[in-house]
Each structure stands twice: as structure tokens, then as C-alpha cells.
Amino acid sequence: MSTLLSRIISAAIILILLKQPKQDLYIDSYLSIRPEIETITKILKIGIPTGIENGMFQFGKLVIQSTVSTMGTTAIAAQAMVATLESFACQASIGIGLGMMSVVGKCVGAKEYEQARHYTILLTKYAWIACIICCAMIMFPIQQITSLAGMETESAKLAIWLTRIVFTYKMIFWTPSFLPGYGLRAAGDVKFSMITSTLSMWICRVVVTIFLVHTFHMGPLAVWIGMGADWTIRSFIFLARFKSNKWLEHKVI
């Protein structure tokens, strides 16, 4: 109920702000809005592949979570803590990536392709710095964080060990595995991003994780080995695609 209430309040505030004439872009009347099929079709060409990519990503996470649920309470608690912290550590970088989509989209729309390349590289660097800072802010006081969370001793030890391993690797490979993808999508290269992300997700995160768990009984470490492999492979693929300039050959409008 609290989540639903917060969404309702947010939606009401946004609808009110969208009607303010002082803004460069505003809506006179919601009742006068009519669908423009051509524009909607262009949006869906980007939205559908991106939606499929996100949907497959979430489904893959569900499969991994079901595998983790068979490992016992200590591993489940540790994995939940590390996953929450890992997700929190990349929020600033994701925010920069969302901003990158607007900036690069405008550059490509104006046919300023060098500017698109420039801002993709620049914002990726900023996101990298943000990721390193956020990871460090969590990794160094991790003992205090697990203590505040009231974790059992064994779960806390496992969570601390995993956090130090995962975050060290995350500082290097997470940013190039995600941020260039925002630039590619902004330029209309959504199918390549969807195929790459989906395949790397299922092959590395899901298949590798399940294999390591059931064959070598590696516990929650297997999840992060699979995720690290996903980050690494995706980084090289996205960087190669960015360097080739093929992502600039697509036209959204």
C-alpha cells in the first residue's frame, strides 16, 4: 500500500507539473491529446526491444534467485545482502546513463556524430568514477553495514568476503558493460543491444551459475562468477561496437 501510494502521489505531481506554461514543453489539456500512430510506431521500435531486454534480464534474475534459494539460509542471507548493496552501488552510474540517452539522442538527431561519440565517452568516464566512489563507500565499511543489518555471524562473514571480491571486479568491468549500451540505444541501435545483453545474460549469468552451483557446489560465489563473466564479455562487445561506428548508421527519425 505504501508503494502504491507513493506512485500515485508521484504521478499526480508529474501531471500537475506538465501543465505549467512556464516550461518550454507543457500540455494545455489532457483531454485534447490524440494518438499519432506514426510517432508511436517510431517509439515502439526502440521501446519494444528495450522492453524485451529488460524483461529477459529480470526473468534471468528470477532463475538465479530460485537457484540461490536451494543453498541454505546462510548463503541466502549473504547473497541477498550483497545483491542489494551491488544494486545500490550502481544507481549513480545508471542515472548518468539515462542522462546520456537524452544527450546522445539529441546529437544523433542533429547529425552531430562526433559530438555523440564525445559525450558517450565523457559520460562513461563520469559513470566509471561514480561507480568506483560508490563501491569504495560500501566496500570499506562493509563490516559496519552487516552489523547494522543484524546479520548472523556466518552470513555476515560470507557477505563481507563476497562484497570485497564482487566490488573490486565491479569497479573495473561494470561501467563498460552497461554505459556504452545507453549510447547505442539512444542512436537507435537497440536490436544489437537487446541481442547482446540477452545472450550474455543467459549464457554467462544463468547457465554458468547453474553449472557451477550443481557441478562444483560453489554456492553464492557461482552467482557472482557468472555475473562477472557477463560484465566482461559484454564490455568487450559493446566497446567493439562503439569503436566500429556501426551504431551511428541507424536512424530513429
Side-chain angles (χ1 to χ4, degrees), residues 19 28 31 89 103 112 136 143 147 160 177 199 204 242 251:
K19 286 181 63 66
D28 286 322
L31 297 177
V103 174
E112 294 286 347
Q143 288 184 323
S147 177
I160 292 168
S177 71
L199 288 177
C204 296
F242 177 80
K251 291 184 179 180

Side-chain angles (χ1 to χ4, degrees), residues 23 31 50 117 186 196 214:
Q23 299 183 123
L31 297 177
T50 303
R117 286 179 53 83
T196 300
H214 292 290

